[in-house]
Each structure stands twice: as C-alpha cells, then as structure tokens.
Amino acid sequence: MPDNNENKNLIEQLNSKRENAQKGGGDRRIESQKKKGKLTARERLALFFDNSDYEEVDIFVQHQSKDLGLDKSVYDGDSVVTAYGFVNGRQTFAYAQDFTVLGGSLSLVAGKKIAKIMDMASKNGAPIIGFNDSGGARIQEGVDSLAGYGEVFVRNTMYSGVIPQITVIVGPSAGGAVYSPAITDFIFMVKDIGQMYITGPDVVKSVTGEEISHEDLGGSVPHATKSGVAHFVYDDESQCINAVKKLLSFLPQNNLENAKKIDGNSSDPNGEILRTIIPEKSTEPYNVIDVIDNIIDDKDFFEIQSNYAQNIVIGFGRIRGSSVGIVANQPAHMAGMLDINASDKAARFVRFCDAYNIPIVTLVDVPGFMPGVNQEHQGIIRHGAKLIYAYAEATVPKISVILRKAYGGAYIVMNSKELRSDLNLAWPTAEIAVMGPEGAVNVISRKEISESDDPQATREKLISEYKEKFSTPYIAASRGYIDDVIDPAHSRKKIANALEIFSKKYLENPPKKHGNIPL
Ligand code: HXC
C-alpha cells in the first residue's frame, strides 16, 4: 500500500476505531467494574496469554437489534472479547465476557462470536477457556439471545472429549447460562466475585420463602463444598488465572495427543517413608496425600475439588515428567468410604483422563460403600455404578496400588483387575476381602458366638482368625487378582516403570454410538 495521506487517514481511522472498541462499555462502566474488584475482559486475557500477547477476533461485530432501546446501545465487539494466542507456549483459544457492555449479557452475536472461537479451537485441536462475567440472556433480544446460548451449548457438547474446555467464573452467571460452564471439563471460581445459580436470591425468596445472599446461594464456597459444581476456588483473579495455566500444563492439546512430557524428576527417590504411613491399627486414619506426594515428582500434586467429597482425592501429578491422573480413597475423611458424591467426583475425573490419554494411578484404601437410608434413597446404586462404568470403559493405562483396605464392591470398583486394569499391586498391609473382619464374623459365626461360654472372647478369636486368613494381599495374589505384593518403598519405581512399559498400550472398546452410563 503506498504511504500516501489518504492511506494514513485510513490507518488512523482503523486505530481509532480499534481503540474505541477496546474501551468496551466506556470509561464509566470500566470504573464501575474496578469498584466491584473485577478486572476487565481484556485485562483478564492479557494476564492469561503468554507475554499478554493475543489476537482478537470479531472486534467490530455489532448486534443488529432495534427493540427496547437497543438501537441506542451499540458497542463494537458487543459483550464478549474472543481471542487466540499462546499459553505455556501452546496454541490456546479464549473468550472473556465484557460486563461493561450491557452487563456482559449474551446477545445473538455474542453467542455467535463464542461459537466461532470454539470452532477455531476445535479445528486447530487446542483448548478453549471462557471467562464468564454476565447478567445472562440479553433480555431485550428475547429468543434471539436464547438461540445464542444454544449455539454455545451444542459446541460445548460436541467438543467435549475433543479439546479441553475450562470455564472461569469471574462475575455473575445466572439462569440457563450456567449450563455452558457445567458442560465444560473444569470450573474455576474467584471468591466474592463469581456466582452461579439457576435463579437468584429474589426468585428463591418469592418461590420458597428462603432468604439468602448472592454469595451464600451461588458463590464459590457453596459450589466448592456442597454442590460440587466448582473444581477450583481462588482468592483473586491473578492467582486463579495462574492456576488455569498450571492445569493446562498437565493436559494434552486435544484427544489425539498425549500430554507434553516435561524435563522433570527422572530419578526415583527413596520411598522408605512410605513404609511408615499406614498406622498400626487398621481402623486409624492417615492422610493419603502423604502417599501421593511420595510417589509423584517433586510432591507437586494439583488437587481437584479438594473441599468436596473429601473421602476421595483426585488430581494431576507427574511421574518421571509425564502427567498422571491420581484417584485415591482418603482414610482421613469418613474412613475413605465411597458415597454418592465421591463416586460422581471420581467417575467424571476417570472419564476426563481417559478422554485425554492421561494414565490413571489409583490408590486404594476403602472399607466399602457408605451405608445409610439417605445414601440408598438418594441413589448410591445409580451413582456408584458410574464409577464402575468409568473405570471399566477407560482404555488408558490403569495402575492400582492397594494400600490397606479393599473390601467388597468397593474393591471391584476401585480399578480391580476385572475392570481391565493393567497392573494391580498391593502393599503387605493390604486387606482384601468381601467385608471387614468384624462384619464378616457377625454374619458367618453369629450362632457360634452366641452359643459359646464367652461370646466376647469367641468373637475376638474368630475376628483374629479371619484377619489372619483373609485380610492379607496373599490370597488375591495367589489367584492372580493382584500382580505383585510390593515393598511400599518401591511404589514410585514400580509405577513409573509400568507407566513407561504401558505407554504404547492399545485397547479399543466395541464400536457403538455411545454407551449408556447411569447418569
Ligand atoms: C440486558 C442487562 C442484563 C441482561 C444486566 N444488564 N443484565 N442488560 N440483559 N440480562 C445491564 C443493566 O441494565 C446495566 O446496564 C448493566 O448491565 C449492569 O447491570 P447492573 O444491574 O447495574 O449490575 P450489578 O448491580 O452488578 O448486577 C448484576 C446482575 C444484575 C446481578 C447480573 O444486572 C441482574 O440481576 N441482571 C439480570 C440477571 C438475569 O435475570 N438475567 C437473565 C437470566 S435468565 P447499564 O446500561 O445501566 O450499564 C437467562 C436465561 C438463559 O439468562 C437461558 C440459556 C438457555
């Protein structure tokens, strides 16, 4: 292009249009966003992408609506900023809703912008990350706005299991708008800023009479501890964005790739401390994260949903530099029993790892499924079945180590040999049986106990005989259900060697449209 005056004017006009578009809803609304303690959409993207460098797409898109005064509220780019760039040096796509433009409310064109960037992410096999900060459907647009949501939801579904999808909740997310995040793989929330609910406090009050604040209804605390909707919570946006990047570092770009191996700890440090973790009394608790830390590289465990269903622990780590998903019963919480929430939490994680070629290491210490009327009536049968289904269908390398208890149905569920596990190891402290000694003796020796001269002494004698005979790993090992009984100190080395050997594992499930997991 010749550098004449007319062209100079065109460039100036372009620059000024772009500058104007980058102001979103304008200085007053940016100020109001800051007063709420929130970053702007573009500040979020700048923090997220490497060197704050990203390319914006559709910056000049405008809504075409005329109703209810919308013709007087037209902003370049509308209520969402869509962009691509590099994160951790890898191609990444993102969108950030701009609350300064009509409260980030989703118009048809905003929905189409998000759909376009999702399509780009999928075509290029790269993760998509959404920063949600929106008053929901743009009320003035009516059904057009709902159609905009539809465009997003269908892509969330179609790209599920194809490219990692992450949502960061940094503002309101109300009504049906919550369902896009809910379909994505991981939800991050920032305390006091992000809220998610189907209906806000006013509607709740008018329908049920309950009075509750926005934060108590849909803030990060209830979603991280009670509903299980949020996977991660952070105090501020910058910490949260760093955590999103860390999570991405454990993941592959898409379902056809493996996670990138990093030059990490390739040695197998002495694991003698693992010999000391299991308490002498088999009913005593211990923290399974101490076991995880001594198996993975550099004790760098990235735990997911750490405050929800704490009886099971899930998260990512690396072994000799390669990503693994870890699932572990947590004896320090409810004795590590499996209940409804733990089953859901672990099942979804197992399926995520399987979809993205991340091997799964399972650490087992489980006394069984949680008994109780509430659990039965809430559907522990249906929910527990999800975990069996998830493990059974997973074709990635699967390794289990039974640390202590593996009783009954829970033994089978936690990646037993029959669910197509690749390697099942047990520590000498493992107790593998249909049920715990006390329960077993009560059932099979009730008569003998009650008819004896000293029922208490007889009961204790029978329990001790049962323990000696059944509560060991050797019967299972003698039948090949356990591949080896190992010195706990060798756990890391054994797992690491197996992961290297199984890294080329090939296993396909029978062809089908899709299975019918008990949802
Ligand atoms: C159009 C909206 C809007 C919306 C907010 N605004 N929500 N405009 N459609 N849904 C506008 C406001 O008019 C205001 O414009 C600006 O955004 C900022 O809003 P404020 O209310 O001043 O902000 P704040 O006090 O922070 O409150 C935020 C809020 C509140 C809690 C999100 O705005 C609110 O309750 N909005 C409505 C939420 C809602 O009910 N949405 C529909 C849900 S149903 P000005 O010009 O003054 O800056 C739904 C269905 C989806 O989403 C279905 C998908 C399948």
Side-chain angles (χ1 to χ4, degrees):
M1 192 159 73
D3 193 15
N4 57 32
N5 272 347
E6 193 180 333
N7 286 339
K8 260 196 193 142
N9 287 344
L10 288 175
I11 302 295
E12 273 165 20
Q13 185 194 22
L14 168 66
N15 289 342
S16 129
K17 268 181 85 66
R18 189 177 298 280
E19 219 170 276
N20 182 51
Q22 284 169 342
K23 285 198 170 153
D27 291 335
R28 183 176 61 79
R29 290 194 180 88
I30 290 175
E31 203 177 303
S32 150
Q33 176 85 347
K34 301 270 166 197
K35 273 199 191 129
K36 288 174 187 153
K38 299 197 287 182
L39 298 175
T40 64
R42 287 179 179 85
E43 284 170 343
R44 286 167 179 154
L45 294 175
L47 268 181
F48 178 57
F49 283 107
D50 293 349
N51 309 317
S52 301
D53 190 13
Y54 62 88
E55 299 293 339
E56 217 179 303
V57 179
D58 283 339
I59 193 171
F60 299 121
V61 157
Q62 296 178 345
H63 73 73
Q64 309 296 322
S65 313
K66 306 262 179 283
D67 293 334
L68 299 169
L70 270 187
D71 49 346
K72 293 182 195 71
S73 295
V74 181
Y75 301 88
D76 277 346
D78 206 77
S79 57
V80 65
V81 184
T82 54
Y84 55 78
F86 288 87
V87 171
N88 305 328
R90 304 191 302 179
Q91 290 94 334
T92 305
F93 294 74
Y95 68 87
Q97 293 181 317
D98 186 350
F99 194 83
T100 68
V101 174
L102 293 156
S105 57
L106 194 109
S107 60
L108 178 61
V109 293
K112 288 196 166 169
K113 275 184 73 168
I114 297 174
K116 189 196 267 186
I117 205 78
M118 291 176 81
D119 289 342
M120 279 191 193
S122 165
K123 278 186 214 154
N124 291 287
I128 175 89
I129 286 71
F131 293 87
N132 282 26
D133 183 3
S134 161
R138 184 162 304 160
I139 294 163
Q140 299 90 324
E141 282 201 8
V143 69
D144 276 343
S145 154
L146 301 183
Y149 275 115
E151 297 279 358
V152 179
F153 296 169
V154 73
R155 285 165 177 82
N156 288 136
T157 309
M158 289 301 115
Y159 301 152
S160 176
V162 180
I163 48 169
Q165 300 182 51
I166 295 170
T167 316
V168 188
I169 307 291
V170 275
S173 183
V178 295
Y179 285 117
S180 169
I183 305 172
T184 62
D185 299 304
F186 297 103
I187 295 180
F188 287 71
M189 292 184 79
V190 174
K191 265 188 200 152
D192 302 325
I193 291 177
Q195 285 120 24
M196 303 176 74
Y197 35 67
I198 296 285
T199 55
D202 293 346
V203 177
V204 168
K205 189 176 175 202
S206 68
V207 175
T208 69
E210 295 160 298
E211 283 194 48
I212 190 161
S213 69
H214 287 270
E215 194 63 18
D216 288 345
L217 180 65
S220 58
V221 172
H223 284 316
T225 57
K226 292 183 184 162
S227 71
V229 166
H231 297 86
F232 302 94
V233 172
Y234 290 91
D235 286 337
D236 67 55
E237 296 201 50
S238 163
Q239 274 179 22
C240 183
I241 289 172
N242 282 336
V244 174
K245 292 191 214 186
K246 177 151 186 179
L247 172 61
L248 285 171
S249 78
F250 287 103
L251 313 184
Q253 289 290 87
N254 58 64
N255 64 332
L256 300 177
E257 295 182 9
N258 291 330
K260 193 167 160 218
K261 189 173 171 173
I262 63 158
D263 291 338
N265 192 342
S266 58
S267 65
D268 297 321
N270 188 323
E272 272 176 28
I273 195 165
L274 290 172
R275 290 185 189 150
T276 65
I277 289 177
I278 304 287
E280 230 163 80
K281 264 181 86 184
S282 89
T283 45
E284 261 180 52
Y286 62 92
N287 188 352
V288 79
I289 293 182
D290 292 337
V291 179
I292 297 171
D293 279 347
N294 285 286
I295 288 175
I296 60 172
D297 294 355
D298 309 319
K299 299 187 194 289
D300 187 13
F301 182 51
F302 193 66
E303 193 178 351
I304 299 165
Q305 288 179 306
S306 60
N307 289 312
Y308 177 73
Q310 291 172 308
N311 36 332
I312 203 151
V313 171
I314 57 170
F316 293 109
R318 290 191 178 86
I319 296 183
R320 292 187 194 157
S322 295
S323 283
V324 287
I326 307 228
V327 180
N329 308 113
Q330 174 56 290
H333 196 87
M334 289 164 50
M337 263 189 287
L338 282 174
D339 64 355
I340 288 173
N341 293 344
S343 302
D344 284 2
K345 171 177 164 180
R348 191 144 196 261
F349 180 65
V350 165
R351 297 192 100 215
F352 178 85
C353 291
D354 187 44
Y356 291 101
N357 315 313
I358 299 171
I360 301 162
V361 174
T362 303
L363 303 176
V364 185
D365 189 346
V366 59
F369 278 98
M370 169 116 159
V373 176
N374 181 44
Q375 286 285 307
E376 294 289 350
H377 289 182
Q378 296 291 317
I380 193 163
I381 297 173
R382 187 162 52 85
H383 292 276
K386 294 178 198 178
L387 192 51
I388 302 185
Y389 193 110
Y391 268 121
E393 78 171 346
T395 57
V396 286
K398 296 184 284 189
I399 297 171
S400 278
V401 186
I402 300 181
L403 312 180
R404 190 169 60 175
K405 297 181 186 118
Y407 291 156
Y411 153 76
I412 306 170
V413 175
M414 294 301 294
N415 192 40
S416 61
K417 197 89 203 153
E418 293 62 48
L419 299 189
R420 308 194 297 174
S421 169
D422 297 289
L423 185 71
N424 292 68
L425 303 172
W427 286 1
T429 41
E431 305 167 20
I432 305 168
V434 169
M435 59 167 75
E438 289 77 10
V441 163
N442 282 347
V443 175
I444 56 180
S445 308
R446 180 174 302 161
K447 203 156 165 233
E448 190 183 337
I449 293 170
S450 66
E451 288 175 359
S452 77
D453 294 338
D454 185 347
Q456 184 56 21
T458 309
R459 196 166 175 275
E460 272 162 27
K461 180 174 108 355
L462 288 167
I463 286 176
S464 134
E465 281 172 9
Y466 180 96
K467 270 189 186 160
E468 209 170 296
K469 198 151 190 199
F470 295 105
S471 295
T472 80
Y474 296 107
I475 294 176
S478 75
R479 286 159 171 75
Y481 299 128
I482 294 294
D483 297 298
D484 200 1
V485 182
I486 61 165
D487 177 345
H490 303 157
S491 300
R492 173 181 162 95
K493 192 168 177 204
K494 297 266 181 195
I495 294 170
N497 286 345
L499 287 171
E500 280 179 6
I501 293 287
F502 300 145
S503 63
K504 300 237 162 32
K505 175 185 175 187
Y506 179 74
L507 177 65
E508 267 196 358
N509 292 334
K512 51 184 152 179
K513 188 170 178 185
H514 57 69
N516 189 14
I517 189 166
L519 296 172

